[in-house]
Amino acid sequence: MVQTVQQELKLEQVNKAIEAILNVLHVPEPGNDLHAKALSAFANGDYQTVKRLASTNLSDDYLRALGYLGGALKLTPNTDTILAESARAAADFARERTLRKLGDALAKALS
């Protein structure tokens, strides 16, 4: 399937994409205190703090997803790539969260 690509993204479009990514992360219910801190920083426009948290917690997909999003708001030629990477990280986070929940449910059912 071939899709037409628009030349320039508008801030409204990017905000809708960010909202979709945040919904996958199940905002406003972050998973732990570190996620809550990152989400609060993101909501306050402190994208540098979010990036720092992501860069110092490299295995945390939640932080990785949020860490990209501040850069998407700059509307550069890289915005599509930034959104795609954030979406992939959010999907990785959702997958791990689901596997953890299923594992816990199986352990409970089988004990």
Side-chain angles (χ1 to χ4, degrees), residues 15-67:
N15 281 326
K16 286 180 183 178
I18 288 172
E19 183 179 331
I21 292 167
L22 292 176
N23 284 336
V24 169
L25 296 174
H26 288 295
V27 171
E29 298 178 21
N32 59 43
D33 290 341
L34 190 58
H35 294 174
K37 181 178 179 180
L39 181 59
S40 176
F42 182 82
N44 291 321
D46 184 2
Y47 307 126
Q48 188 59 43
T49 294
V50 179
K51 287 181 191 180
R52 179 65 49 88
L53 291 170
S55 70
T56 57
N57 295 278
L58 296 174
S59 64
D60 192 313
D61 293 318
Y62 183 98
L63 295 175
R64 186 166 54 106
L66 275 184

Side-chain angles (χ1 to χ4, degrees), residues 21 24-25 61 65 85-97:
I21 292 167
V24 169
L25 296 174
D61 293 318
E85 289 302 317
S86 180
R88 286 183 189 99
D92 290 344
F93 173 77
R95 179 182 187 275
E96 289 301 316
R97 181 185 55 226

